[in-house]
Amino acid sequence: MTTFENITSVVKDGVGTITFDRLDRRNALSVELMTEMSDQLDAWAYDDEVAAVVLTGGEDIFCAGLDLDLQSGFTEETRAVYSEACLRAYGTLLNYRKPTIAAVGGPALGGGCDIAVFTDIRIGSENALFGYPQIKFGLTPYFSPLWRIVGLSQAKLLTFSGDRIDANEALRIGLIDRLAPEGQVVAQASDLAASIAGTTVKSAVNNKEMARTSPGLDPVSALTYETLAYREVIWHPDIVGRINDAYRKIKNK
């Protein structure tokens, strides 16, 4: 386990887990927290021991958003530094080469909701809460990729009003992909990540690459790209070996 000042990180069975560790500030975002998260993601990007990444704040508070103490003391210089840290953190998640899962327990507000949205998969606890309260102060949200997840109308509802929604509503509109019982969201996210890791790091990376590329293509181009991707891997020795092993197990039953 690697311990930073604002996050903890651990790797187990192919799963890298980043846990926000500012509980005294409700895991509010600071330059340091976002930088440490980005640094750890970068370190795992080409680490063959990590196939998938879970981001969480634990069972009771995911992230309360921007630290208000930081915001109230902004200068032109510190505001610019914070903006750069945001761009790096969200950009790293958006274009990450391995699957990412947000395990959301408790509130995920403002920038905390953004972190969840910028991951590939979101699992929410029954106590989860989502929203963009900064809208109430006249600030703007990240509209994309939110609208690609929940659709234009639901994204407008969330970002025009700044109203918060609970876990059941988040599941209904597709903001979260699975709903976990309270107290079990980290375990469920870890189990899913372990299932992804079981496909091997190479497969996880290949499938994430397809998920990053195909949505930007027209249907015919996507068909061609995905067919070529399949042809690229089908004769790879380790994949042939895995297929043959599975076949032998079925045949010997």
mmCIF file of all heavy atoms in Angstrom, residues 36-73:
data_model
loop_
_atom_site.group_PDB
_atom_site.id
_atom_site.type_symbol
_atom_site.label_atom_id
_atom_site.label_comp_id
_atom_site.label_asym_id
_atom_site.label_seq_id
_atom_site.Cartn_x
_atom_site.Cartn_y
_atom_site.Cartn_z
ATOM 1 N N GLU A 36 -2.366 14.013 -6.329
ATOM 2 C CA GLU A 36 -2.000 12.673 -5.872
ATOM 3 C C GLU A 36 -2.800 11.602 -6.613
ATOM 4 O O GLU A 36 -2.253 10.561 -6.996
ATOM 5 C CB GLU A 36 -2.217 12.562 -4.361
ATOM 6 C CG GLU A 36 -1.222 13.390 -3.556
ATOM 7 C CD GLU A 36 -1.515 13.383 -2.068
ATOM 8 O OE1 GLU A 36 -2.394 12.603 -1.634
ATOM 9 O OE2 GLU A 36 -0.864 14.137 -1.329
ATOM 10 N N MET A 37 -4.101 11.855 -6.826
ATOM 11 C CA MET A 37 -4.917 10.911 -7.587
ATOM 12 C C MET A 37 -4.368 10.761 -9.003
ATOM 13 O O MET A 37 -4.216 9.638 -9.509
ATOM 14 C CB MET A 37 -6.372 11.381 -7.634
ATOM 15 C CG MET A 37 -7.286 10.450 -8.417
ATOM 16 S SD MET A 37 -8.999 11.054 -8.532
ATOM 17 C CE MET A 37 -8.784 12.404 -9.707
ATOM 18 N N SER A 38 -4.042 11.872 -9.654
ATOM 19 C CA SER A 38 -3.502 11.835 -11.019
ATOM 20 C C SER A 38 -2.165 11.120 -11.051
ATOM 21 O O SER A 38 -1.891 10.312 -11.963
ATOM 22 C CB SER A 38 -3.359 13.254 -11.562
ATOM 23 O OG SER A 38 -4.598 13.923 -11.601
ATOM 24 N N ASP A 39 -1.313 11.402 -10.077
ATOM 25 C CA ASP A 39 0.003 10.749 -10.016
ATOM 26 C C ASP A 39 -0.152 9.235 -9.896
ATOM 27 O O ASP A 39 0.571 8.469 -10.548
ATOM 28 C CB ASP A 39 0.819 11.273 -8.839
ATOM 29 C CG ASP A 39 1.349 12.685 -9.057
ATOM 30 O OD1 ASP A 39 1.315 13.171 -10.206
ATOM 31 O OD2 ASP A 39 1.796 13.305 -8.063
ATOM 32 N N GLN A 40 -1.086 8.797 -9.032
ATOM 33 C CA GLN A 40 -1.258 7.358 -8.848
ATOM 34 C C GLN A 40 -1.838 6.704 -10.099
ATOM 35 O O GLN A 40 -1.418 5.612 -10.497
ATOM 36 C CB GLN A 40 -2.151 7.076 -7.644
ATOM 37 C CG GLN A 40 -2.289 5.601 -7.312
ATOM 38 C CD GLN A 40 -0.957 4.956 -6.976
ATOM 39 O OE1 GLN A 40 -0.482 5.021 -5.858
ATOM 40 N NE2 GLN A 40 -0.319 4.312 -7.956
ATOM 41 N N LEU A 41 -2.801 7.362 -10.728
ATOM 42 C CA LEU A 41 -3.351 6.827 -11.971
ATOM 43 C C LEU A 41 -2.263 6.709 -13.036
ATOM 44 O O LEU A 41 -2.188 5.703 -13.755
ATOM 45 C CB LEU A 41 -4.494 7.714 -12.471
ATOM 46 C CG LEU A 41 -5.801 7.637 -11.666
ATOM 47 C CD1 LEU A 41 -6.750 8.751 -12.088
ATOM 48 C CD2 LEU A 41 -6.471 6.283 -11.845
ATOM 49 N N ASP A 42 -1.423 7.716 -13.143
ATOM 50 C CA ASP A 42 -0.326 7.664 -14.110
ATOM 51 C C ASP A 42 0.612 6.497 -13.812
ATOM 52 O O ASP A 42 1.085 5.805 -14.715
ATOM 53 C CB ASP A 42 0.460 8.974 -14.100
ATOM 54 C CG ASP A 42 -0.277 10.108 -14.782
ATOM 55 O OD1 ASP A 42 -1.278 9.843 -15.483
ATOM 56 O OD2 ASP A 42 0.148 11.276 -14.610
ATOM 57 N N ALA A 43 0.887 6.278 -12.529
ATOM 58 C CA ALA A 43 1.805 5.205 -12.144
ATOM 59 C C ALA A 43 1.242 3.835 -12.485
ATOM 60 O O ALA A 43 1.997 2.893 -12.778
ATOM 61 C CB ALA A 43 2.110 5.291 -10.647
ATOM 62 N N TRP A 44 -0.073 3.683 -12.452
ATOM 63 C CA TRP A 44 -0.706 2.398 -12.739
ATOM 64 C C TRP A 44 -1.019 2.191 -14.217
ATOM 65 O O TRP A 44 -1.342 1.071 -14.626
ATOM 66 C CB TRP A 44 -1.994 2.272 -11.936
ATOM 67 C CG TRP A 44 -1.801 1.954 -10.490
ATOM 68 C CD1 TRP A 44 -0.683 1.440 -9.899
ATOM 69 C CD2 TRP A 44 -2.759 2.138 -9.436
ATOM 70 N NE1 TRP A 44 -0.885 1.281 -8.547
ATOM 71 C CE2 TRP A 44 -2.149 1.700 -8.235
ATOM 72 C CE3 TRP A 44 -4.059 2.616 -9.390
ATOM 73 C CZ2 TRP A 44 -2.804 1.729 -7.011
ATOM 74 C CZ3 TRP A 44 -4.721 2.662 -8.168
ATOM 75 C CH2 TRP A 44 -4.101 2.219 -6.992
ATOM 76 N N ALA A 45 -0.957 3.232 -15.007
ATOM 77 C CA ALA A 45 -1.412 3.145 -16.397
ATOM 78 C C ALA A 45 -0.695 2.044 -17.168
ATOM 79 O O ALA A 45 -1.302 1.346 -17.986
ATOM 80 C CB ALA A 45 -1.240 4.492 -17.098
ATOM 81 N N TYR A 46 0.595 1.876 -16.918
ATOM 82 C CA TYR A 46 1.378 0.855 -17.622
ATOM 83 C C TYR A 46 1.948 -0.185 -16.668
ATOM 84 O O TYR A 46 2.923 -0.864 -16.982
ATOM 85 C CB TYR A 46 2.491 1.513 -18.437
ATOM 86 C CG TYR A 46 1.955 2.291 -19.615
ATOM 87 C CD1 TYR A 46 1.614 3.637 -19.487
ATOM 88 C CD2 TYR A 46 1.753 1.672 -20.849
ATOM 89 C CE1 TYR A 46 1.095 4.347 -20.560
ATOM 90 C CE2 TYR A 46 1.239 2.380 -21.930
ATOM 91 C CZ TYR A 46 0.914 3.721 -21.775
ATOM 92 O OH TYR A 46 0.392 4.414 -22.842
ATOM 93 N N ASP A 47 1.303 -0.320 -15.518
ATOM 94 C CA ASP A 47 1.711 -1.307 -14.524
ATOM 95 C C ASP A 47 0.971 -2.608 -14.804
ATOM 96 O O ASP A 47 -0.265 -2.669 -14.726
ATOM 97 C CB ASP A 47 1.374 -0.790 -13.124
ATOM 98 C CG ASP A 47 1.874 -1.704 -12.014
ATOM 99 O OD1 ASP A 47 2.151 -2.894 -12.286
ATOM 100 O OD2 ASP A 47 1.966 -1.232 -10.865
ATOM 101 N N ASP A 48 1.695 -3.673 -15.124
ATOM 102 C CA ASP A 48 1.072 -4.946 -15.470
ATOM 103 C C ASP A 48 0.448 -5.658 -14.278
ATOM 104 O O ASP A 48 -0.178 -6.710 -14.448
ATOM 105 C CB ASP A 48 2.092 -5.870 -16.143
ATOM 106 C CG ASP A 48 2.443 -5.421 -17.549
ATOM 107 O OD1 ASP A 48 1.640 -4.659 -18.140
ATOM 108 O OD2 ASP A 48 3.510 -5.818 -18.057
ATOM 109 N N GLU A 49 0.597 -5.092 -13.090
ATOM 110 C CA GLU A 49 -0.060 -5.653 -11.911
ATOM 111 C C GLU A 49 -1.467 -5.091 -11.724
ATOM 112 O O GLU A 49 -2.209 -5.566 -10.859
ATOM 113 C CB GLU A 49 0.767 -5.371 -10.652
ATOM 114 C CG GLU A 49 2.142 -6.010 -10.654
ATOM 115 C CD GLU A 49 2.074 -7.520 -10.755
ATOM 116 O OE1 GLU A 49 1.261 -8.118 -10.019
ATOM 117 O OE2 GLU A 49 2.811 -8.089 -11.578
ATOM 118 N N VAL A 50 -1.837 -4.098 -12.516
ATOM 119 C CA VAL A 50 -3.130 -3.425 -12.362
ATOM 120 C C VAL A 50 -3.910 -3.517 -13.672
ATOM 121 O O VAL A 50 -3.453 -3.043 -14.714
ATOM 122 C CB VAL A 50 -2.958 -1.948 -11.971
ATOM 123 C CG1 VAL A 50 -4.319 -1.249 -11.887
ATOM 124 C CG2 VAL A 50 -2.218 -1.835 -10.650
ATOM 125 N N ALA A 51 -5.098 -4.142 -13.613
ATOM 126 C CA ALA A 51 -5.958 -4.255 -14.791
ATOM 127 C C ALA A 51 -7.134 -3.287 -14.741
ATOM 128 O O ALA A 51 -7.645 -2.871 -15.774
ATOM 129 C CB ALA A 51 -6.487 -5.678 -14.928
ATOM 130 N N ALA A 52 -7.571 -2.930 -13.535
ATOM 131 C CA ALA A 52 -8.716 -2.039 -13.371
ATOM 132 C C ALA A 52 -8.525 -1.231 -12.091
ATOM 133 O O ALA A 52 -7.813 -1.658 -11.174
ATOM 134 C CB ALA A 52 -10.019 -2.830 -13.306
ATOM 135 N N VAL A 53 -9.179 -0.078 -12.041
ATOM 136 C CA VAL A 53 -8.999 0.840 -10.912
ATOM 137 C C VAL A 53 -10.350 1.191 -10.303
ATOM 138 O O VAL A 53 -11.310 1.498 -11.023
ATOM 139 C CB VAL A 53 -8.285 2.129 -11.356
ATOM 140 C CG1 VAL A 53 -8.217 3.139 -10.209
ATOM 141 C CG2 VAL A 53 -6.884 1.819 -11.873
ATOM 142 N N VAL A 54 -10.425 1.142 -8.983
ATOM 143 C CA VAL A 54 -11.593 1.580 -8.224
ATOM 144 C C VAL A 54 -11.251 2.894 -7.526
ATOM 145 O O VAL A 54 -10.196 3.005 -6.890
ATOM 146 C CB VAL A 54 -12.017 0.529 -7.178
ATOM 147 C CG1 VAL A 54 -13.127 1.073 -6.273
ATOM 148 C CG2 VAL A 54 -12.455 -0.762 -7.859
ATOM 149 N N LEU A 55 -12.139 3.869 -7.649
ATOM 150 C CA LEU A 55 -11.998 5.126 -6.911
ATOM 151 C C LEU A 55 -13.147 5.240 -5.928
ATOM 152 O O LEU A 55 -14.315 5.026 -6.297
ATOM 153 C CB LEU A 55 -12.012 6.333 -7.844
ATOM 154 C CG LEU A 55 -10.796 6.483 -8.748
ATOM 155 C CD1 LEU A 55 -11.099 5.912 -10.126
ATOM 156 C CD2 LEU A 55 -10.380 7.940 -8.862
ATOM 157 N N THR A 56 -12.840 5.587 -4.678
ATOM 158 C CA THR A 56 -13.868 5.644 -3.661
ATOM 159 C C THR A 56 -13.466 6.598 -2.549
ATOM 160 O O THR A 56 -12.295 6.957 -2.407
ATOM 161 C CB THR A 56 -14.151 4.243 -3.082
ATOM 162 O OG1 THR A 56 -15.280 4.304 -2.223
ATOM 163 C CG2 THR A 56 -12.930 3.709 -2.328
ATOM 164 N N GLY A 57 -14.452 6.981 -1.763
ATOM 165 C CA GLY A 57 -14.191 7.722 -0.542
ATOM 166 C C GLY A 57 -14.564 6.907 0.675
ATOM 167 O O GLY A 57 -14.524 7.398 1.801
ATOM 168 N N GLY A 58 -14.967 5.654 0.416
ATOM 169 C CA GLY A 58 -15.445 4.804 1.492
ATOM 170 C C GLY A 58 -16.951 4.661 1.427
ATOM 171 O O GLY A 58 -17.595 4.977 0.429
ATOM 172 N N GLU A 59 -17.544 4.205 2.507
ATOM 173 C CA GLU A 59 -18.968 3.887 2.508
ATOM 174 C C GLU A 59 -19.875 5.073 2.824
ATOM 175 O O GLU A 59 -21.069 5.020 2.516
ATOM 176 C CB GLU A 59 -19.239 2.764 3.522
ATOM 177 C CG GLU A 59 -18.510 1.467 3.240
ATOM 178 C CD GLU A 59 -18.991 0.770 1.968
ATOM 179 O OE1 GLU A 59 -20.120 1.071 1.507
ATOM 180 O OE2 GLU A 59 -18.242 -0.072 1.442
ATOM 181 N N ASP A 60 -19.335 6.136 3.401
ATOM 182 C CA ASP A 60 -20.207 7.199 3.923
ATOM 183 C C ASP A 60 -20.078 8.550 3.234
ATOM 184 O O ASP A 60 -21.004 9.363 3.299
ATOM 185 C CB ASP A 60 -19.935 7.390 5.428
ATOM 186 C CG ASP A 60 -20.223 6.131 6.222
ATOM 187 O OD1 ASP A 60 -21.284 5.526 5.991
ATOM 188 O OD2 ASP A 60 -19.378 5.749 7.045
ATOM 189 N N ILE A 61 -18.934 8.814 2.596
ATOM 190 C CA ILE A 61 -18.765 10.086 1.906
ATOM 191 C C ILE A 61 -17.816 9.879 0.729
ATOM 192 O O ILE A 61 -16.653 9.507 0.932
ATOM 193 C CB ILE A 61 -18.251 11.198 2.858
ATOM 194 C CG1 ILE A 61 -17.918 12.461 2.074
ATOM 195 C CG2 ILE A 61 -17.064 10.737 3.677
ATOM 196 C CD1 ILE A 61 -19.123 13.198 1.568
ATOM 197 N N PHE A 62 -18.324 10.081 -0.473
ATOM 198 C CA PHE A 62 -17.470 9.940 -1.655
ATOM 199 C C PHE A 62 -16.609 11.185 -1.793
ATOM 200 O O PHE A 62 -15.395 11.141 -1.630
ATOM 201 C CB PHE A 62 -18.320 9.724 -2.902
ATOM 202 C CG PHE A 62 -17.504 9.488 -4.150
ATOM 203 C CD1 PHE A 62 -16.881 8.270 -4.350
ATOM 204 C CD2 PHE A 62 -17.366 10.478 -5.110
ATOM 205 C CE1 PHE A 62 -16.117 8.032 -5.500
ATOM 206 C CE2 PHE A 62 -16.614 10.262 -6.262
ATOM 207 C CZ PHE A 62 -15.990 9.040 -6.454
ATOM 208 N N CYS A 63 -17.240 12.329 -2.039
ATOM 209 C CA CYS A 63 -16.493 13.581 -2.178
ATOM 210 C C CYS A 63 -17.480 14.732 -2.180
ATOM 211 O O CYS A 63 -18.435 14.740 -2.961
ATOM 212 C CB CYS A 63 -15.671 13.576 -3.463
ATOM 213 S SG CYS A 63 -14.834 15.138 -3.803
ATOM 214 N N ALA A 64 -17.246 15.715 -1.314
ATOM 215 C CA ALA A 64 -18.158 16.844 -1.169
ATOM 216 C C ALA A 64 -17.930 17.934 -2.198
ATOM 217 O O ALA A 64 -18.618 18.950 -2.179
ATOM 218 C CB ALA A 64 -18.034 17.427 0.237
ATOM 219 N N GLY A 65 -16.973 17.728 -3.104
ATOM 220 C CA GLY A 65 -16.701 18.751 -4.119
ATOM 221 C C GLY A 65 -15.554 19.650 -3.700
ATOM 222 O O GLY A 65 -14.741 19.306 -2.845
ATOM 223 N N LEU A 66 -15.489 20.806 -4.334
ATOM 224 C CA LEU A 66 -14.407 21.756 -4.073
ATOM 225 C C LEU A 66 -14.393 22.176 -2.608
ATOM 226 O O LEU A 66 -15.435 22.489 -2.023
ATOM 227 C CB LEU A 66 -14.574 22.988 -4.967
ATOM 228 C CG LEU A 66 -13.625 24.165 -4.723
ATOM 229 C CD1 LEU A 66 -12.178 23.755 -4.915
ATOM 230 C CD2 LEU A 66 -13.976 25.318 -5.662
ATOM 231 N N ASP A 67 -13.203 22.170 -2.025
ATOM 232 C CA ASP A 67 -13.029 22.614 -0.650
ATOM 233 C C ASP A 67 -13.370 24.099 -0.563
ATOM 234 O O ASP A 67 -12.725 24.937 -1.189
ATOM 235 C CB ASP A 67 -11.580 22.378 -0.214
ATOM 236 C CG ASP A 67 -11.386 22.544 1.282
ATOM 237 O OD1 ASP A 67 -11.971 23.492 1.848
ATOM 238 O OD2 ASP A 67 -10.655 21.741 1.880
ATOM 239 N N LEU A 68 -14.410 24.440 0.221
ATOM 240 C CA LEU A 68 -14.870 25.826 0.281
ATOM 241 C C LEU A 68 -13.834 26.745 0.917
ATOM 242 O O LEU A 68 -13.773 27.929 0.584
ATOM 243 C CB LEU A 68 -16.195 25.898 1.053
ATOM 244 C CG LEU A 68 -17.379 25.202 0.372
ATOM 245 C CD1 LEU A 68 -18.638 25.349 1.224
ATOM 246 C CD2 LEU A 68 -17.616 25.758 -1.025
ATOM 247 N N ASP A 69 -13.023 26.210 1.817
ATOM 248 C CA ASP A 69 -11.945 27.032 2.383
ATOM 249 C C ASP A 69 -10.967 27.443 1.294
ATOM 250 O O ASP A 69 -10.482 28.580 1.270
ATOM 251 C CB ASP A 69 -11.204 26.263 3.476
ATOM 252 C CG ASP A 69 -11.976 26.204 4.779
ATOM 253 O OD1 ASP A 69 -12.998 26.918 4.884
ATOM 254 O OD2 ASP A 69 -11.570 25.457 5.679
ATOM 255 N N LEU A 70 -10.681 26.511 0.401
ATOM 256 C CA LEU A 70 -9.788 26.815 -0.716
ATOM 257 C C LEU A 70 -10.416 27.835 -1.645
ATOM 258 O O LEU A 70 -9.785 28.825 -2.042
ATOM 259 C CB LEU A 70 -9.476 25.526 -1.494
ATOM 260 C CG LEU A 70 -8.658 25.671 -2.783
ATOM 261 C CD1 LEU A 70 -7.270 26.205 -2.479
ATOM 262 C CD2 LEU A 70 -8.572 24.328 -3.509
ATOM 263 N N GLN A 71 -11.690 27.625 -1.973
ATOM 264 C CA GLN A 71 -12.367 28.513 -2.912
ATOM 265 C C GLN A 71 -12.483 29.938 -2.356
ATOM 266 O O GLN A 71 -12.282 30.920 -3.081
ATOM 267 C CB GLN A 71 -13.759 27.981 -3.244
ATOM 268 C CG GLN A 71 -14.492 28.802 -4.300
ATOM 269 C CD GLN A 71 -15.817 28.177 -4.689
ATOM 270 O OE1 GLN A 71 -16.411 27.435 -3.917
ATOM 271 N NE2 GLN A 71 -16.284 28.476 -5.885
ATOM 272 N N SER A 72 -12.781 30.064 -1.080
ATOM 273 C CA SER A 72 -12.968 31.388 -0.497
ATOM 274 C C SER A 72 -11.671 32.184 -0.438
ATOM 275 O O SER A 72 -11.689 33.410 -0.356
ATOM 276 C CB SER A 72 -13.561 31.261 0.910
ATOM 277 O OG SER A 72 -12.654 30.597 1.785
ATOM 278 N N GLY A 73 -10.531 31.464 -0.503
ATOM 279 C CA GLY A 73 -9.245 32.146 -0.450
ATOM 280 C C GLY A 73 -8.527 32.216 -1.772
ATOM 281 O O GLY A 73 -7.329 32.515 -1.815
#
